[in-house]
Amino acid sequence: MSKLSALYIEDACRKMPLVQKIIRQCADIPIISCERYGEIFNLKAQNFRLQKNHAGLILAQKHQGFVLPAPPGYGFGNQHSYYFSHMLNCPYDCRYCFLQGMYRSAHHVLFVNYDDFERELALTIQNSAGQPCYFYSGYDCDSLAFEQYSRFAEHFILFFQQHPHAYLELRTKSARIRPLLQFEATKNIIIALSFSPENIARTLEHRVPSLLRRITAAQKLQQRGWSLALRFEPLIFHEGYQENYARLFTTLFNALDVRMLHSVSLGLFRMPQSYFKNILKLYPDDPLYAQHFSTQNGITSYSENQEAEMIKTCEALLFQHIPRPLYYRCKMDLSL
Ligand code: SF4
């Protein structure tokens, strides 16, 4: 992870224990007070691409929208599916990520009032009247990549251990699993790992740990009894994608115990046209965006034929390794 350029702190949260810990970790960078994080995050005339190399960390309090219904087609849960975002932005830099088209700023915002998140989570669980609830984190960020500052997993694993009928999916491309290994594997916490073929990871997933490091981390988690999910989202069309996805699946399913997997999913590249246009302005020469995309109802994606071909091919490849009940297709219109 590249070094933070500055630490911004909302006045109201400066005394919180988590904030004090982060201040001690950031002794060698400027520490700047602010009243509301929007003063920095929503400034006009910011360039996401330039700022990505000098991003700061903003510690703020969230005031509403702690737990939200999951978008239609997202995840594996039932009608009681929700997501929550303790962070905005991510230290990694995947060229296909919708966050770079959604936000003006590449600064990381960490909402530190975890107690308020917990209160809303508990209320949501209570209102589900005993039905299992599914919660997804890692929607506006990567769930683990910022753990050294956020202590997010450390905090929320303890919460979900007390609520066995609520399921948490932690989605990540991180290989830093030490925070997880300090806990006993917890049945209702699923570690969802996103993978792309090695050539795509190399060219599009900047700053993400290598495939080898992530596979080794996945193996360690499985050996310790953690429930893993594998996510191949978004599928990236490129010449020879069939062979490259075939190789990726063979590598992963040889390295992991398929019987212990929670689920496996495929998802397509889709994002709102406005985000897509913003990203094109940032990366006009990127080969990913030189491909042909089409837009329908405000959503930009590969053509219908290309999507159908990729899904059919990759599903057939997957089913050489996994039983069908393990599989679902993510139908949400974003790529994270
Ligand atoms: S796709 Fe995921 S890992 Fe990559 S930059 Fe976006 S949030 Fe981070």
Side-chain angles (χ1 to χ4, degrees):
M1 196 170 96
S2 56
K3 190 170 164 13
L4 295 171
S5 62
L7 180 65
Y8 301 89
I9 307 173
E10 280 187 354
D11 297 329
C13 58
R14 190 175 264 268
K15 294 209 172 101
M16 294 170 75
L18 175 58
V19 173
Q20 288 297 315
K21 281 184 191 165
I22 298 173
I23 288 175
R24 285 196 288 278
Q25 285 174 281
C26 294
D28 59 343
I29 57 171
I31 297 183
I32 301 154
S33 295
C34 62
E35 209 168 306
R36 282 295 176 101
Y37 80 91
E39 295 163 24
I40 295 130
F41 194 69
N42 295 332
L43 271 179
K44 289 200 174 130
Q46 301 192 81
N47 181 307
F48 191 99
R49 183 174 179 175
L50 293 177
Q51 205 171 62
K52 191 80 190 168
N53 295 323
H54 308 281
L57 170 59
I58 307 172
L59 304 181
Q61 295 206 70
K62 200 171 181 115
H63 297 281
Q64 57 185 7
F66 293 97
V67 178
L68 297 166
Y74 189 76
F76 50 83
N78 57 9
Q79 73 272 33
H80 299 291
S81 292
Y82 306 88
Y83 76 96
F84 64 107
S85 293
H86 69 293
M87 272 199 82
L88 310 180
N89 276 330
C90 171
Y92 304 144
D93 191 14
C94 302
R95 200 51 68 245
Y96 52 74
C97 180
F98 77 85
L99 296 176
Q100 54 192 343
M102 183 159 89
Y103 298 130
R104 275 195 203 125
S105 171
H107 287 318
H108 309 99
V109 180
L110 174 63
F111 296 114
V112 288
N113 48 330
Y114 290 170
D115 291 352
D116 292 326
F117 280 96
E118 281 194 1
R119 198 193 55 242
E120 289 292 316
L121 287 168
L123 205 62
T124 310
I125 295 166
Q126 197 184 328
N127 289 343
S128 72
Q131 297 272 326
C133 299
Y134 300 86
F135 297 95
Y136 302 96
S137 80
Y139 183 75
D140 294 315
C141 64
D142 180 289
S143 295
L144 277 186
F146 227 77
E147 185 68 16
Q148 67 189 103
Y149 295 107
S150 70
R151 284 97 172 158
F152 168 78
E154 197 181 307
H155 196 95
F156 284 90
I157 286 173
L158 291 173
F159 175 86
F160 278 88
Q161 282 179 337
Q162 290 159 20
H163 295 87
H165 298 300
Y167 292 80
L168 170 67
E169 179 188 280
L170 285 177
R171 187 174 291 206
T172 189
K173 286 193 179 82
S174 175
R176 287 178 174 228
I177 52 167
R178 208 175 310 148
L180 300 176
L181 296 181
Q182 64 182 322
F183 293 98
E184 288 289 310
T186 305
K187 266 203 176 133
N188 53 325
I189 297 177
I190 297 123
I191 315 299
L193 306 168
S194 312
F195 289 100
S196 299
E198 198 155 15
N199 61 316
I200 294 299
R202 234 185 4 255
T203 50
L204 298 184
E205 296 178 350
H206 308 289
R207 305 181 195 176
V208 172
S210 70
L211 190 58
L212 183 63
R213 276 188 62 204
R214 289 189 290 141
I215 292 176
T216 307
Q219 286 175 311
K220 275 192 199 146
L221 286 170
Q222 255 199 347
Q223 283 157 11
R224 292 285 294 273
W226 283 92
S227 186
L228 300 187
L230 301 184
R231 307 280 174 249
F232 304 100
E233 305 169 22
L235 294 176
I236 300 290
F237 185 83
H238 59 281
E239 204 175 317
Y241 80 88
Q242 301 89 335
E243 292 77 25
N244 292 331
Y245 277 98
R247 196 174 308 119
L248 173 69
F249 296 160
T250 303
T251 307
L252 277 169
F253 295 114
N254 282 346
L256 297 172
D257 185 343
V258 172
R259 293 164 308 172
M260 286 180 68
L261 289 176
H262 170 272
S263 56
V264 177
S265 65
L266 299 179
L268 291 160
F269 177 100
R270 289 182 170 188
M271 70 170 77
Q273 187 184 24
S274 56
Y275 298 1
F276 188 87
K277 282 184 173 168
N278 290 341
I279 299 174
L280 263 189
K281 280 186 216 147
L282 295 175
Y283 298 99
D285 304 324
D286 197 283
L288 173 67
Y289 296 106
Q291 300 181 75
H292 180 70
F293 287 94
S294 63
T295 299
Q296 271 185 356
N297 302 323
I299 299 294
T300 302
S301 63
Y302 294 119
S303 72
E304 257 178 55
N305 285 346
Q306 234 172 348
E307 286 190 344
E309 183 207 299
M310 266 195 298
I311 284 286
K312 193 169 159 216
T313 305
C314 290
E315 283 181 347
L317 291 169
L318 268 186
F319 296 142
Q320 293 174 14
H321 301 277
I322 62 163
R324 280 173 191 253
L326 213 55
Y327 171 72
Y328 76 88
R329 182 175 152 198
C330 177
K331 293 195 176 146
M332 197 191 68
D333 286 337
L334 286 173
S335 302
L336 187 69

